[in-house]
Amino acid sequence: MTAPTETIEIQNVVASTGIDQELDLETLVDDIPGAEFNPDNFPGLVDRTQDPKAAALIFRSGKIVCTGAASVNDVHEALEIIFEKLRELGIPITDSPEITVQNIVSSADLGYDLNLNALAIGLGLEDVEYEPEQFPGLVYRMEDPEVVILLFGSGKIVITGGKFAEDATAAVENIVEKIDDLGLLG
């Protein structure tokens, strides 16, 4: 059987940065091929990169959020592409603006079915939300690392709220240990 930590896959990395100046999004949308700006629906300009695949949400304030990347490296590469496009338009940007990872969403497979009712009680009701009529997964707020884990009866899990890729590994190791301690491993 494959170890649960070996099944971890990053699904999305969200990071933010800024260029310390106001931007005219109405002009930018005309100057950046493929960019989208519809202020009635969303206040930011959306520019998608293809390699790596990601979307940059560029706001009037100069704040930029990168989402949809598959790794922290991809975030940096995608934002460098965006910075270069802006530099080519004459917008001064420092050589390496600070980029802050806000959230990493990962998935994994524990390799066995879970009894979510027993887990909800065993993990402690103060850290758990489980309302199967509303949502089929159990929401567990882990303290170390500080992440939220969605556990499903199939044994599939989603880890969100991490700031580092290693947070997912630590979370999987911790949740497997907790489930084992409760005697609820497959």
Side-chain angles (χ1 to χ4, degrees):
M1 183 173 121
T2 305
T5 52
E6 292 176 26
T7 69
I8 297 171
E9 288 182 25
I10 292 178
Q11 302 297 326
N12 185 20
V13 179
V14 179
S16 62
T17 188
I19 58 170
D20 296 327
Q21 60 187 298
E22 294 252 330
L23 296 170
D24 179 355
L25 300 182
E26 287 82 0
T27 302
L28 273 183
V29 72
D30 294 332
D31 293 340
I32 300 176
E36 301 167 21
F37 180 53
N38 186 341
D40 292 338
N41 292 339
F42 184 70
L45 180 146
V46 179
D47 187 21
R48 291 176 172 77
T49 60
Q50 295 307 312
D51 187 23
K53 193 169 171 55
L57 314 175
I58 304 171
F59 297 93
R60 196 172 305 282
S61 65
K63 295 276 187 232
I64 302 173
V65 175
C66 181
T67 185
S71 71
V72 174
N73 282 345
D74 284 359
V75 162
H76 285 267
E77 285 182 39
L79 284 171
E80 195 49 53
I81 291 167
I82 300 302
F83 296 149
E84 196 51 44
K85 286 181 183 181
L86 295 174
R87 286 184 191 108
E88 287 172 5
L89 295 172
I91 297 168
I93 297 173
T94 61
D95 279 347
S96 50
E98 184 179 344
I99 297 170
T100 305
V101 172
Q102 302 292 340
N103 184 21
I104 298 177
V105 179
S106 303
S107 63
D109 187 347
L110 300 182
Y112 44 83
D113 289 348
L114 298 172
N115 178 339
L116 298 182
N117 289 315
L119 264 180
I121 295 164
L123 291 172
L125 297 175
E126 62 279 354
D127 296 322
V128 168
E129 291 174 39
Y130 182 51
E131 297 182 41
E133 308 81 29
Q134 308 261 327
F135 180 68
L138 180 150
V139 180
Y140 176 60
R141 298 185 187 289
M142 185 174 275
E143 287 182 19
D144 185 28
E146 192 175 333
V147 297
V148 174
I149 303 178
L150 309 178
L151 299 107
F152 298 91
S154 65
K156 302 267 197 284
I157 66 171
V158 175
I159 304 114
T160 186
K163 305 281 191 222
F164 305 97
E166 298 79 25
D167 288 345
T169 302
V172 169
E173 289 170 348
N174 289 357
I175 197 67
V176 167
E177 184 179 329
K178 287 179 184 294
I179 294 169
D180 192 25
D181 289 349
L182 294 169
L184 297 171
L185 269 184

